[in-house]
Amino acid sequence: MKTIEERSSEYANKEWTPEYHFIAEESYITGAKEQKVIDINKACEWLKENVEGGVHPQSAYGFVEKFRKAMEE
């Protein structure tokens, strides 16, 4: 799987002229990282709300925090 930075470089090289390459690349990275935070938060909220019965809330919280950390890497 490609990193955000790798994808941004490919996008900037393909879609933008050299003088706008840096701006395009930085904008792509910023937008992708902001979207990643939104996606992680949504996924964590979904996990909190949809943990199957029988799981102690503290266990669910620990799982969500481990999931959040894994998604951020």
Side-chain angles (χ1 to χ4, degrees):
M1 180 181 289
K2 293 180 183 177
T3 66
I4 290 171
E5 288 78 7
E6 289 168 333
R7 286 181 279 150
S8 71
S9 182
E10 288 178 3
Y11 166 75
N13 285 332
K14 184 176 10 173
E15 301 293 331
W16 295 89
T17 59
E19 59 269 11
Y20 293 108
H21 175 90
F22 178 76
I23 295 168
E25 193 169 3
E26 288 300 309
S27 297
Y28 184 100
I29 290 170
T30 300
K33 287 183 177 181
E34 288 174 358
Q35 187 61 49
K36 184 177 179 180
V37 169
I38 292 167
D39 294 345
I40 290 169
N41 289 337
K42 281 186 155 191
C44 288
E45 288 304 313
W46 183 90
L47 287 168
K48 285 179 186 177
E49 294 171 5
N50 292 287
V51 172
E52 294 295 323
V55 176
H56 188 275
Q58 190 64 28
S59 297
Y61 177 79
F63 175 78
V64 167
E65 290 308 307
K66 287 179 186 176
F67 175 78
R68 182 183 303 274
K69 184 175 180 177
M71 290 293 294
E72 289 173 350
E73 293 177 352

